[in-house]
Amino acid sequence: MSTLTRRRFLASTSLAVGAVALRGSAAVAQPPAAPPPVTIKTGVDQMVLGKSGIKTTVLGLGTGTRGGREQRELGTEGFVRLVREAYDRGIRYIDTADMYKTHPYVKAALDELPGGEVFVQTKLWARNAEQAAKDLDRIRGELGMETLDTLLIHCMTKEQWNIDLRPVIDVYLKAKEKDQIRALGVSCHSLKALQVAADTPEIDVHLVRINPFRKKMDGKPGKVAAQISKMHADNRGVIGMKIYGEGMIESREDRLKSIKYVLGLGTVHAFTIGFSKIEQIDDTLKMIEEASA
């Protein structure tokens, strides 16, 4: 091969390699495809909460009815029996919070079930870093869980909560690095707070008030649904609450409409409802099947 020919060969090869590298960089820079719509058939379908990778059943047993009073009034034995019956029907999700004062009841129930099979979501009210660290250690002990599944920053209402509570978020992110929590989330109680949550990249899981009747909601259903859609598009876990409007949606017909509406969004992975009787759970499981038929 002549010198000139060799130079031309090397130059052409370098250009080709550069082009491939550029194409590779362009491919990496492209945003990931939006997740497919969520499809639900039964209340015990196993769902993955977006990029967190955490698995849960669609229906979760809530423990915060009237601030947790209804569940506490069952007593430890009655609560454990309710959880056991829900488990026997296939439910693998318990939703709790520090302010509900139900952690000891949840621990007692978990002690009666096979280890690692139930997804537990809890929430903390801490508004400063020192309190957040103390509360986190305490509730891990109360629940008997070295690693919490999801920890939510509880009840955000202010527009700049992600700025005001940056020290708290940092505490939880460090805890996540230490495997003390698997995923960080937030529950919101205003539309502005919800909009900020949708734009906060550190959040893995969202607990959102949603129903079609605007009962105990953060705004009109369409506006809330738009924020949920953004969360889903970013591959975050979305869990609905207040599906029955905290008891304000009373008739079975309207409750069925609410479930059908939430399932129809195609962006909600699961939802939690406060239960105190197994008959309530059975009826909701039936309505989920009816709504998805």
Side-chain angles (χ1 to χ4, degrees):
M1 179 182 292
S2 69
T3 302
L4 183 58
T5 305
R6 175 178 169 79
R7 285 176 180 170
R8 287 175 178 169
F9 171 76
L10 291 174
S12 63
T13 302
S14 298
L15 287 171
V17 171
V20 171
L22 286 172
R23 286 198 298 271
S25 298
V28 171
Q30 290 177 353
V38 176
T39 302
I40 292 170
K41 294 297 182 184
T42 76
V44 297
D45 285 356
Q46 287 283 338
M47 313 300 293
V48 178
L49 295 176
K51 59 188 177 185
S52 76
I54 293 174
K55 290 185 178 180
T56 177
T57 49
V58 171
L59 185 59
L61 195 160
T63 65
T65 309
R66 292 175 177 81
R69 191 181 75 227
E70 278 195 20
Q71 285 73 34
R72 294 195 304 271
E73 287 178 349
L74 294 173
T76 301
E77 184 177 342
F79 181 81
V80 170
R81 186 184 310 114
L82 179 67
V83 172
R84 181 78 223 193
E85 291 176 327
Y87 179 89
D88 289 343
R89 285 155 174 77
I91 293 174
R92 299 292 186 271
Y93 166 25
I94 300 175
D95 191 280
T96 184
D98 190 29
M99 69 178 298
Y100 302 162
K101 300 179 182 178
T102 51
H103 283 162
Y105 299 83
V106 173
K107 182 182 184 301
L110 294 176
D111 288 344
E112 299 292 321
L113 301 175
E117 287 196 11
V118 179
F119 160 60
V120 178
Q121 177 164 272
T122 191
K123 316 170 193 75
L124 278 176
W125 192 271
R127 297 300 189 252
N128 63 71
E130 183 180 1
Q131 193 64 51
K134 288 181 179 179
D135 288 349
L136 177 58
D137 285 341
R138 173 176 55 80
I139 67 168
R140 287 166 63 221
E142 289 177 356
L143 288 166
M145 298 177 69
E146 186 174 337
T147 302
L148 302 177
D149 292 323
T150 59
L151 176 67
L152 306 190
I153 302 170
H154 200 175
C155 193
M156 292 296 94
T157 58
K158 296 181 180 180
E159 186 174 3
Q160 294 187 331
W161 67 263
N162 62 333
I163 297 172
D164 297 340
L165 295 188
R166 188 72 237 182
V168 172
I169 293 172
D170 288 341
V171 167
Y172 296 150
L173 291 177
K174 288 180 181 177
K176 186 177 174 183
E177 291 175 0
K178 296 177 182 178
D179 293 325
Q180 294 176 345
I181 63 175
R182 295 175 63 194
L184 176 61
V186 65
S187 67
C188 293
H189 287 249
S190 80
L191 184 60
K192 289 183 178 180
L194 191 68
Q195 290 168 335
V196 169
D199 292 327
T200 302
E202 295 90 347
I203 299 302
D204 304 306
V205 176
H206 297 267
L207 185 61
V208 185
R209 305 198 292 184
I210 183 70
N211 62 67
F213 300 103
R214 202 177 177 179
K215 302 294 185 181
K216 294 286 183 175
M217 289 269 289
D218 299 326
K220 293 180 180 179
K223 289 189 175 181
V224 173
Q227 298 308 310
I228 292 176
S229 181
K230 287 177 63 176
M231 297 164 184
H232 177 259
D234 197 34
N235 199 24
R236 305 186 200 178
V238 180
I239 299 174
M241 62 173 167
K242 303 297 188 275
I243 309 301
Y244 293 164
E246 203 171 292
M248 295 179 70
I249 302 173
E250 298 181 356
S251 73
R252 189 181 192 277
E253 180 183 3
D254 284 345
R255 289 183 172 189
L256 178 59
K257 286 180 181 178
S258 186
I259 291 174
K260 186 173 292 188
Y261 172 77
V262 173
L263 297 186
L265 294 175
T267 51
V268 177
H269 298 99
F271 47 86
T272 173
I273 297 175
F275 296 115
S276 57
K277 298 177 182 178
I278 193 60
E279 292 82 8
Q280 298 168 337
I281 296 175
D282 286 339
D283 194 42
T284 297
L285 288 171
K286 289 179 183 177
M287 283 194 283
I288 293 172
E289 292 191 19
E290 290 174 28
S292 60

